[in-house]
Amino acid sequence: MRLIFSIFLISLASVLFAQEVEFPFWLEGTWEIQSELGVSYEQWERSGDSLLIGKTYRLFTKDTLVFDTMKIKTDNGVILFEMTANVKNTRVIAGFSLSQPTPELWKFENPITDSTHTIYYWRISADRVYVWTETMDLDDACMDFEMYRQNE
């Protein structure tokens, strides 16, 4: 039991004191998301040294319908993911702090929200990212999708 506890503490310390991961500017650009309902997009634009501004949207003929707006930013040395969305016709903002970052996997958590609780961005390649969410409420659906970089 002591060995398991020691391994756990060493693992925890290595995560907490690991070398700092670079800001995820690799998300910058427009990403295509294909689903049974059609094609939508996630777009990220750089604004300064430590801010990405994003949105998810779908094109309908000449109209653009924006689903969510997002930010990835640094606040007092902590990297945060903020999302604004409509929930039952009410605009809500949720903040998620970065935990367990690696150059390829970014995990954002909010321990006080039931739905969505965790958001993951896994960089599979320079032009392909897998995104998924987790929720605490078993009645809420989690999302997962692949995004492919669009040539601009």
Side-chain angles (χ1 to χ4, degrees):
M1 189 66 169
R2 284 186 193 175
L3 178 61
I4 293 172
F5 184 71
S6 297
I7 292 171
F8 172 76
L9 287 178
I10 291 169
S11 298
L12 181 61
S14 67
V15 167
L16 293 175
F17 300 108
Q19 121 182 56
E20 210 171 296
V21 176
E22 289 186 33
F23 201 79
F25 287 122
W26 50 266
L27 269 175
E28 188 175 12
T30 302
W31 300 81
E32 181 178 291
I33 304 162
Q34 296 185 14
S35 73
E36 305 83 40
L37 301 174
V39 176
S40 58
Y41 300 91
E42 185 164 304
Q43 182 178 47
W44 289 96
E45 294 179 3
R46 182 190 298 221
S47 180
D49 299 6
S50 58
L51 176 63
L52 284 170
I53 299 172
K55 65 182 175 183
T56 57
Y57 63 95
R58 182 168 287 162
L59 301 173
F60 295 96
T61 316
K62 294 182 181 182
D63 294 326
T64 301
L65 177 62
V66 176
F67 300 116
D68 306 304
T69 58
M70 303 153 307
K71 290 181 184 175
I72 298 176
K73 64 182 187 176
T74 302
D75 187 18
N76 292 327
V78 176
I79 296 178
L80 301 173
F81 180 100
E82 286 183 356
M83 175 178 272
T84 305
N86 285 321
V87 176
K88 298 180 183 174
N89 293 325
T90 302
R91 206 76 174 141
V92 294
I93 299 174
F96 302 82
S97 58
L98 179 65
S99 66
Q100 299 179 346
T102 68
E104 294 82 27
L105 181 64
W106 286 67
K107 177 182 178 184
F108 297 95
E109 291 182 293
N110 184 329
I112 61 172
T113 60
D114 292 336
S115 179
T116 297
H117 179 269
T118 309
I119 301 170
Y120 296 88
Y121 279 80
W122 177 25
R123 183 182 188 189
I124 297 171
S125 71
D127 297 325
R128 185 173 161 217
V129 175
Y130 182 65
V131 180
W132 74 98
T133 63
E134 293 176 348
T135 177
M136 298 295 280
D137 188 344
L138 297 177
D139 293 331
D140 287 340
C142 296
M143 297 185 322
D144 71 313
F145 52 89
E146 285 189 63
M147 303 190 311
Y148 297 90
R149 185 183 302 278
Q150 297 299 290
N151 296 325
E152 299 178 273

